[in-house]
Amino acid sequence: MADATRSALLRPLTSRSPDEPHRAATPLELFFDLCFVVAVAQAAAELHHAVAENHVGHGVFGFLTVFFAIWWAWVNFSWFASAYDNDDVAYRLTTLVQIAGALILAAGVPRAFADDDWKLITLGYVVMRLAMVTQWLRVRHDDPPRRATATRFAVGILLVQVGWVLRLLLPPEWGLPSFLVLVVCELLVPLWAERGRPTRWHPHHIAERYSLFTLIVLGESVLAATVAIEAASGTGYTSALIWLAGAGLVIVFAMWWLYFDRSAHDLLTSFATAFRWGYGHYFILASAAAVGAGLAVVADYDTRSAHMSGVVAAYAVAVPVAVYLLSLWLLQVCPHHRGLVVYAFPVTVVLVLLAPFTPAPIQVIAVLLAALVSVVVLAGAGRGRSPAPEH
């Protein structure tokens, strides 16, 4: 009995097989994603308010920096879990600490946007990252073949966290350069640590983890836009808001369709391609979250509560949609497709960026994305396969 209890509390954190059959996301991973999306929602809400007040540069910078903290902590947890999740009590409690860090970060988002105060966000981020250090120290102890890899991860993460804390002491004019330097350092840690004896992540599991988080972020965009349209409606829904709601739904649904056209697991054939694909998802996920904020801005404009021109309001949707399509094209479309589909994506990006100059820009973007989905579906039919995702 004592041995069984000890085994449940603390099992060796050794590498899982990358060929493990039927590897799927765990309930803990799904709960982790749902808690993290709270921080995503906070960042998107602040982006909405900043752009609606015509503080576009401040809002975009704040959103991209906050989203990096959320995304990078999520990425590190997901790849680590793919290689080492043993689901013991210690692992679960460490994940709880990471979730707590995400919620602390979310609580600090309004203060960062309003007062340029990054203390609470930094605290939440450091809490999440130090929890990963403890996980890597466990791997260092329990997985001798990858002891050097785990040591490099632990040391690299710890040193960069010291940098984030010291950044709070710098004068404001050093804020952007120091942020960019530390971001580069964060991104280089896995590249440095994985030299020699790399970790053994599961391609199907990683592809599913990214797809599920993309799905949740798209759902958050739908929620953000719905709440904004409801708030803007006041005593009743105008025709402009009804058209906006319909077009917004088509846009987000098309984004979902295009991403899930087929699974990406067969792209993850090497560390080089996996790193490129995984890092590139920053742009897919950030733009997916920003679309909801953009639709909320357009709802404010349609009800005369936004302080900007109609063109600027429309670009709040057009730019993230264009970034999403371009990122998806580079990461998943070009490696999978040939012919018309490969050209349809960049053409659609250009047309989306021109749409704000039309009389009904959001509706035009919706039509363009629906047309792009049609091209993808026809291309899939031509290859003799269903457009349904291969999950």
Side-chain angles (χ1 to χ4, degrees), residues 89-144:
V89 171
Y91 181 91
R92 291 186 176 192
L93 291 179
T94 307
T95 303
L96 172 63
V97 173
Q98 292 176 280
I99 290 172
L103 298 178
I104 293 170
L105 187 151
V109 170
R111 191 180 302 176
F113 274 81
D115 305 320
D116 203 28
D117 181 355
W118 296 87
K119 295 185 185 66
L120 200 55
I121 282 182
T122 302
L123 173 62
Y125 181 72
V126 170
V127 167
M128 291 187 289
R129 303 297 282 133
L130 290 182
M132 282 305 308
V133 171
T134 65
Q135 296 282 48
W136 283 114
L137 290 177
R138 287 189 65 192
V139 172
R140 184 181 186 278
H141 179 270
D142 295 339
D143 191 9

Side-chain angles (χ1 to χ4, degrees), residues 229 232-248 298-299 301-304 359-360 362-363:
I229 291 172
S233 66
T235 57
Y237 287 93
T238 65
S239 59
L241 288 178
I242 293 173
W243 277 105
L244 174 62
V298 176
Y301 174 79
D302 286 344
T303 55
R304 306 294 188 268
I362 309 306
Q363 289 73 29

Side-chain angles (χ1 to χ4, degrees), residues 3 28 103 160 280 356 375 382 387:
D3 290 342
L28 179 60
L103 298 178
V160 179
V375 171

Side-chain angles (χ1 to χ4, degrees), residues 192-214:
W192 170 60
E194 294 281 2
R195 294 183 308 126
R197 196 69 178 265
T199 54
R200 304 200 304 166
W201 39 269
H202 195 292
H204 284 81
H205 178 247
I206 285 294
E208 183 187 34
R209 294 292 294 119
Y210 273 80
S211 65
L212 289 173
F213 198 55
T214 302

Side-chain angles (χ1 to χ4, degrees), residues 1-367:
M1 177 67 74
D3 290 342
T5 302
R6 193 180 306 113
S7 176
L9 291 173
L10 193 66
R11 290 194 289 268
L13 203 58
T14 53
S15 181
R16 297 181 64 162
S17 171
D19 301 318
E20 184 179 340
H22 310 298
R23 179 75 188 275
T26 66
L28 179 60
E29 288 175 316
L30 298 177
F31 182 64
F32 183 89
D33 291 356
L34 290 173
C35 292
F36 260 59
V37 87
V38 173
V40 174
Q42 283 281 67
E46 294 299 327
L47 174 65
H48 160 213
H49 296 311
V51 174
E53 294 295 326
N54 208 20
H55 301 148
V56 178
H58 174 74
V60 171
F61 173 74
F63 173 77
L64 293 178
T65 53
V66 170
F67 197 89
F68 173 81
I70 301 164
W71 167 79
W72 188 239
W74 180 88
V75 164
N76 279 255
F77 168 82
S78 298
W79 287 81
F80 180 89
S82 188
Y84 287 106
D85 182 3
N86 67 356
D87 200 36
D88 65 4
V89 171
Y91 181 91
R92 291 186 176 192
L93 291 179
T94 307
T95 303
L96 172 63
V97 173
Q98 292 176 280
I99 290 172
L103 298 178
I104 293 170
L105 187 151
V109 170
R111 191 180 302 176
F113 274 81
D115 305 320
D116 203 28
D117 181 355
W118 296 87
K119 295 185 185 66
L120 200 55
I121 282 182
T122 302
L123 173 62
Y125 181 72
V126 170
V127 167
M128 291 187 289
R129 303 297 282 133
L130 290 182
M132 282 305 308
V133 171
T134 65
Q135 296 282 48
W136 283 114
L137 290 177
R138 287 189 65 192
V139 172
R140 184 181 186 278
H141 179 270
D142 295 339
D143 191 9
R146 291 167 186 82
R147 182 163 292 159
T149 301
T151 302
R152 285 194 290 266
F153 264 114
V155 171
I157 293 171
L158 186 60
L159 289 176
V160 179
Q161 301 326 294
V162 172
W164 286 114
V165 174
L166 293 178
R167 178 176 178 268
L168 297 174
L169 305 177
L170 296 176
E173 59 269 21
W174 287 43
L176 178 58
S178 60
F179 172 79
L180 294 177
V181 168
L182 288 168
V183 164
V184 171
C185 292
E186 288 278 18
L187 297 176
L188 288 177
V189 168
L191 296 174
W192 170 60
E194 294 281 2
R195 294 183 308 126
R197 196 69 178 265
T199 54
R200 304 200 304 166
W201 39 269
H202 195 292
H204 284 81
H205 178 247
I206 285 294
E208 183 187 34
R209 294 292 294 119
Y210 273 80
S211 65
L212 289 173
F213 198 55
T214 302
L215 188 65
I216 292 173
V217 171
L218 286 172
E220 188 281 324
S221 275
V222 172
L223 176 62
T226 302
V227 170
I229 291 172
E230 182 181 359
S233 66
T235 57
Y237 287 93
T238 65
S239 59
L241 288 178
I242 293 173
W243 277 105
L244 174 62
L249 179 60
V250 171
I251 289 171
V252 178
F253 187 74
M255 291 168 66
W256 166 83
W257 194 310
L258 294 169
Y259 185 91
F260 288 92
D261 176 57
R262 59 184 294 175
S263 175
H265 71 270
D266 55 346
L267 297 177
L268 308 180
T269 55
S270 68
F271 270 94
T273 57
F275 274 118
R276 187 164 54 248
W277 182 85
Y279 282 13
H281 264 72
Y282 170 79
F283 301 99
I284 288 179
L285 292 165
S287 58
V291 166
L295 291 170
V297 169
V298 176
D300 288 346
Y301 174 79
D302 286 344
T303 55
R304 306 294 188 268
S305 57
H307 306 285
M308 79 225 341
S309 68
V311 172
V312 174
Y315 267 118
V317 176
V319 169
V321 167
V323 171
Y324 182 90
L325 293 178
L326 187 60
S327 304
L328 194 60
W329 177 66
L330 291 171
L331 295 177
Q332 295 190 180
V333 174
C334 288
H336 270 148
H337 293 276
R338 296 291 183 272
L340 180 61
V341 173
V342 175
Y343 301 104
F345 271 78
V347 169
T348 305
V349 167
V350 173
L351 295 177
V352 164
L353 291 175
L354 294 174
F357 297 102
T358 64
I362 309 306
Q363 289 73 29
V364 169
I365 293 172
V367 170

